[in-house]
Amino acid sequence: MIRVLLADDQSLVRAGFRALLTAQPDIEVAGEAADGEEAVRLVGELRPDVVLMDIRMPRLDGLAATRRITGDGELDGVKVVMLTTFELDEYVFEAIRAGASGFLVKDTEPEELLRAVRAVVDGDALLSPGVTRRLIAEFAARSKEPATAESLGGLTEREREVMALVGIGLSNGEIARRLVVSPLTAKTHVSRTMVKLGARDRAQLVVLAYESGLVRPGWLG
């Protein structure tokens, strides 16, 4: 079972998500939080697989709560998906850098929400290719001068190539077609790259690709 924690200050929003999620045979709602402080506490107690985290909440906002969760080494297995009203919420960029595995707009289709929960548990991130590319464009616009690529010294040439393709927003299937390999091979390369770099998921890999200078602004073909 995939265990999900709902963190949103609006009870009706939580009720809607709960009804959708609990209707699935492979998903259960482990708990609910009405603010960021409660969310952090419940994550520590319940150890859910996924947290659906609203960005704007009282006491402690979703961004600060995400930093606490992703910064706790004992909670490495917990994935945070941010919930936002707008696709380009001003905090989404920082949420990804804080360790969130992706984000969804609150009015997303039910099927997309369910797919996202399952995908993030499998190690995927950023969820929608279109949103991924907009997020990357935002990252490119805000990114500082890239650091040296010394941190990538442990990667093979193929792993660097795969990381660059992840960095410009390609899915495993698109990477497989670009490199003329099987989707499973592409996924394996992505997984090995994340392990070597200590990246939580693909979202972190995108950030590292830009911060290392492996991918640069303007490479969004």
Side-chain angles (χ1 to χ4, degrees):
M1 293 289 287
I2 299 173
R3 303 175 68 250
V4 179
L5 177 73
L6 304 175
D8 195 296
D9 62 332
Q10 297 182 30
S11 58
L12 284 177
V13 172
R14 297 198 309 272
F17 283 144
R18 174 180 280 277
L20 174 64
L21 295 170
T22 55
Q24 307 305 307
D26 60 333
I27 300 175
E28 67 177 9
V29 175
E32 298 183 23
D35 60 63
E37 290 282 4
E38 188 178 17
V40 173
R41 178 178 61 80
L42 288 177
V43 167
E45 293 176 3
L46 303 173
R47 304 297 174 94
D49 300 299
V50 180
V51 182
L52 294 181
M53 180 87 75
D54 187 23
I55 288 182
R56 295 180 175 87
M57 290 188 293
R59 295 181 64 198
L60 187 71
D61 64 40
L63 180 57
T66 297
R67 284 200 184 100
R68 288 195 190 178
I69 293 168
T70 60
D72 188 334
E74 295 185 359
L75 301 176
D76 279 345
V78 180
K79 306 294 186 182
V80 179
V81 176
M82 307 301 297
L83 299 172
T84 177
T85 306
F86 305 103
E87 286 187 345
L88 286 181
D89 187 291
E90 61 183 304
Y91 297 114
V92 166
F93 172 81
E94 292 302 329
I96 296 299
R97 295 199 68 175
S101 294
F103 64 97
L104 290 171
V105 289
K106 288 187 177 181
D107 62 354
T108 190
E109 292 296 322
E111 295 79 8
E112 175 68 9
L113 173 66
L114 296 173
R115 189 195 72 79
V117 168
R118 294 179 177 118
V120 81
V121 169
D122 288 338
D124 292 334
L126 302 178
L127 310 176
S128 164
V131 173
T132 298
R133 292 186 174 93
R134 285 194 290 276
L135 178 67
I136 291 170
E138 180 76 0
F139 189 99
R142 298 191 188 192
S143 61
K144 300 173 292 185
E145 188 68 23
T148 65
E150 293 177 0
S151 59
L152 307 182
L155 301 184
T156 65
E157 285 302 314
R158 176 46 60 94
E159 287 165 350
R160 286 176 178 241
E161 188 176 12
V162 167
M163 182 178 176
L165 294 176
V166 170
I168 63 172
L170 299 192
S171 66
N172 286 346
E174 291 169 330
I175 291 172
R177 289 191 291 274
R178 180 76 66 93
L179 300 180
V180 195
V181 298
S182 71
L184 179 59
T185 297
K187 183 175 182 179
T188 298
H189 283 311
V190 172
S191 298
R192 287 177 179 169
T193 302
M194 289 192 295
V195 169
K196 286 185 177 182
L197 297 178
R200 290 172 61 93
D201 49 38
R202 294 174 76 98
Q204 291 280 286
L205 206 56
V206 170
V207 173
L208 290 172
Y210 272 92
E211 290 185 335
S212 68
L214 186 64
V215 177
R216 299 176 187 275
W219 292 8
L220 298 175

